Amino acid sequence: TTTAEALQRELGLPLRTIGEFRNTLFDEEASWQALGDALRSYDCPAKSLADCTLLVTTGLNHWYRLTLADFQHVVTVKLVAPKRVLHQRRKTRSPHDDGWFPYHITRRQFIEMAQPLVAKLPADLTFDTSKTSTTEIVAAISAHIRAAIKA
């Protein structure tokens, strides 16, 4: 989220998360459908930076792939870190930051389950957040997005 918020400030783009829909609809399928509808409200394919939006998700949910299936221009960024770093970051979060979490498991259990799966996901850009600063990551993503729009 820190990187996404920094990227949002850098590019001046709207930032969407599945959590904003989960926390109001409390239904996984309806949340992803609402997110897809919100994303479709932007011009696609992007002709300028103003037509873009940022989406933050782990990318593991099958609804994620269905929601983005009809979008032709998607830049995927994978942020990885060792488990110990992820668990450290989780401990610094307020328990109230979690919102509605649909998986009936704890965030710690989710990290344990998700990390090996995320490692297998394809991405246009991948960064180890324990070795690369947020500033460097944001600059690289920003340059990639700007180049993709010009192409």
Side-chain angles (χ1 to χ4, degrees):
T1 306
T2 303
T3 303
E5 290 170 348
L7 189 60
Q8 178 186 29
R9 285 190 300 276
E10 167 78 17
L11 297 174
L13 297 176
L15 176 65
R16 306 310 297 255
T17 69
I18 188 59
E20 68 188 90
F21 297 94
R22 284 179 178 153
N23 290 335
T24 56
L25 298 173
F26 302 102
D27 176 271
E28 191 69 354
E29 182 178 355
S31 297
W32 281 99
Q33 288 174 345
L35 174 61
D37 291 345
L39 294 174
R40 282 181 199 83
S41 70
Y42 301 100
D43 288 339
C44 291
K47 296 172 191 71
S48 72
L49 194 56
D51 297 330
C52 298
T53 190
L54 303 169
L55 171 63
V56 179
T57 180
T58 61
L60 291 176
N61 193 301
H62 73 280
W63 290 108
Y64 160 76
R65 289 183 282 286
L66 292 173
T67 300
L68 296 182
D70 55 340
F71 289 94
Q72 295 176 355
H73 302 286
V74 175
V75 175
T76 56
V77 178
K78 183 171 25 176
L79 303 177
V80 298
K83 279 185 190 177
R84 66 175 169 69
V85 173
L86 295 174
H87 287 304
Q88 247 177 334
R89 290 177 186 163
R90 181 189 53 81
K91 288 178 186 177
T92 64
R93 292 180 67 177
S94 163
H96 304 292
D97 287 346
D98 285 348
W100 183 71
F101 196 58
Y103 306 110
H104 309 292
I105 60 174
T106 66
R107 291 281 177 179
R108 180 180 183 82
Q109 290 168 322
F110 181 77
I111 289 169
E112 293 293 326
M113 182 258 333
Q115 193 176 35
L117 299 173
V118 168
K120 296 177 184 177
L121 291 175
D124 298 309
L125 302 169
T126 301
F127 300 96
D128 182 336
T129 60
S130 67
K131 297 177 181 176
T132 313
S133 73
T134 300
T135 304
E136 293 170 307
I137 293 169
V138 167
I141 296 169
S142 178
H144 185 88
I145 290 172
R146 292 176 195 277
I149 290 171
K150 289 179 183 175

